[in-house]
Amino acid sequence: MLNCKIISDSSSDLLTLDRASYACVPLKIVTEAREYTDNSLLDVDAMIEDLQSYKGKSQSSCPNIEDWRSAFEDYECVFCVTLTSNLSGSCNAAQIALSDYLQEHPDRKGYVIDTLSAGPEVALVVEKLQEYILQDLSFEEVVEKIKAYMASTHLLFSLKSLRNLANNGRVSMAVAKLTGLLGIRIIGKASDEGTLAVISKAKGEKKALQELVKNMFSAGYQGGKVRIHHCRNLEMAEALQDAILKEKPHASVVIERTRGLCSFYAENGGLLVGYEA
């Protein structure tokens, strides 16, 4: 088996993996008052409460080159899985770190995966990498298979606030002003270019759930893995799980909480859905 390590940034919401060498490199949420590091020590609920009452500027900060480089340790090959390069510098930092690493160790191998996504879709890629490595494939086979796999994964989201996304230039302020008014939720997806694209709006969670399920099946969902990450909205996550299992009873649907970065952008009540189509 390859002596490999998987490293993701904290956009994956994954702190650990059970059956593979793994590390999570944290992003940070930075305000004028304090800094939140998205690692296992972060009290996510406390961060959310702090930010809801905070009136100043806040932004995310990607891992730097040394953060990535130190996570490689002494493995023969490394796979870096990153937040979309169109919304963060994390991918670029990982690429520079890997280039330096391979110059120091020309006999080793590494690959940076720009997921063009975030949250549960990143988690799906990490999980699939683990599966391929455990199959005792060659490094080159793992690279080719994970590239093919990513063509089948997607990300949807349903948010009731876009304040932090808009304030950080991820969506337009005009679109952001629609959310929260009269119970309006925005339905969106990760585009093929790795940006966040708004595709519809819905009044209330019930309508939003219907839109999510409709979009999943219209994109070709046939019962593959689904990963639902929620920001303090377990009820909606479970309702979506039930709706999916009603149509595809044997589907693998897992619910997780968002960690720091995804909680910052999804905001209270937000839902992120990664799935295989």
Side-chain angles (χ1 to χ4, degrees), residues 53-64:
S53 60
Y54 180 70
K55 303 302 181 184
K57 293 181 179 179
S58 57
Q59 61 185 11
S60 57
S61 173
C62 70
N64 62 36

Side-chain angles (χ1 to χ4, degrees), residues 84 86 115-117 121 155 157 188-197:
T84 172
N86 275 315
T115 65
L116 299 176
S117 191
E121 188 174 2
L155 176 75
F157 56 86
K189 67 177 183 178
S191 71
D192 292 341
E193 296 76 30
T195 58
L196 301 181

Side-chain angles (χ1 to χ4, degrees), residues 3-253:
N3 180 28
C4 278
K5 186 176 185 181
I6 302 169
I7 305 109
S8 78
D9 60 38
S10 60
S11 70
S12 67
D13 292 326
L14 289 174
L15 293 174
T16 61
L17 278 181
D18 291 336
R19 297 182 298 149
S21 298
Y22 173 74
C24 181
V25 181
L27 288 96
K28 296 178 181 179
I29 309 304
V30 182
T31 74
E32 295 169 343
R34 64 173 297 180
E35 183 176 276
Y36 305 88
T37 301
D38 190 10
N39 58 21
S40 61
L41 300 177
L42 178 64
D43 185 333
V44 177
D45 286 312
M47 184 197 78
I48 293 169
E49 295 294 334
D50 288 348
L51 292 175
Q52 283 183 325
S53 60
Y54 180 70
K55 303 302 181 184
K57 293 181 179 179
S58 57
Q59 61 185 11
S60 57
S61 173
C62 70
N64 62 36
I65 296 167
E66 183 53 35
D67 292 332
W68 281 104
R69 178 64 183 83
S70 62
F72 297 165
E73 297 184 294
D74 197 35
Y75 284 79
E76 294 174 6
C77 71
V78 292
F79 290 95
C80 306
V81 188
T82 79
L83 176 65
T84 172
S85 59
N86 275 315
L87 297 178
S88 170
S90 183
C91 182
N92 184 60
Q95 289 172 333
I96 295 171
L98 181 60
S99 177
D100 292 345
Y101 178 69
L102 296 179
Q103 285 182 7
E104 294 173 18
H105 306 285
D107 57 324
R108 299 183 183 181
K109 297 178 180 180
Y111 186 61
V112 176
I113 300 167
D114 179 0
T115 65
L116 299 176
S117 191
E121 188 174 2
V122 181
L124 284 173
V125 174
V126 171
E127 290 174 1
K128 185 58 70 170
L129 267 176
Q130 175 183 246
E131 181 182 316
Y132 290 150
I133 291 169
L134 291 173
Q135 289 175 9
D136 202 19
L137 302 172
S138 70
F139 173 81
E140 291 75 17
E141 288 173 324
V142 173
V143 169
E144 290 307 308
K145 281 183 170 291
I146 201 64
K147 288 195 291 187
Y149 174 74
M150 287 170 58
S152 72
T153 61
H154 302 275
L155 176 75
L156 289 171
F157 56 86
S158 172
L159 309 179
K160 66 178 184 180
S161 173
L162 299 178
R163 183 187 66 170
N164 290 334
L165 284 169
N167 287 342
N168 286 272
R170 271 54 174 181
V171 298
S172 74
M173 193 61 71
V175 171
K177 289 179 179 178
L178 291 174
T179 56
L181 298 175
L182 301 175
I184 296 296
R185 294 183 68 100
I186 291 294
I187 313 299
K189 67 177 183 178
S191 71
D192 292 341
E193 296 76 30
T195 58
L196 301 181
V198 174
I199 53 180
S200 65
K201 59 181 183 291
K203 187 172 182 179
E205 291 188 354
K206 184 176 181 180
K207 291 286 187 181
L209 287 170
Q210 293 171 351
E211 284 291 309
L212 288 170
V213 173
K214 181 182 78 173
N215 276 279
M216 285 178 64
F217 281 89
S218 66
Y221 178 70
Q222 297 180 4
K225 286 184 180 180
V226 181
R227 299 294 177 261
I228 304 170
H229 293 187
H230 69 93
C231 183
R232 305 208 297 187
N233 197 348
L234 179 60
E235 183 177 357
M236 186 176 180
E238 290 179 336
L240 178 58
Q241 181 184 50
D242 290 344
I244 294 167
L245 293 176
K246 182 179 180 181
E247 298 295 327
K248 298 292 182 181
H250 302 294
S252 169
V253 185

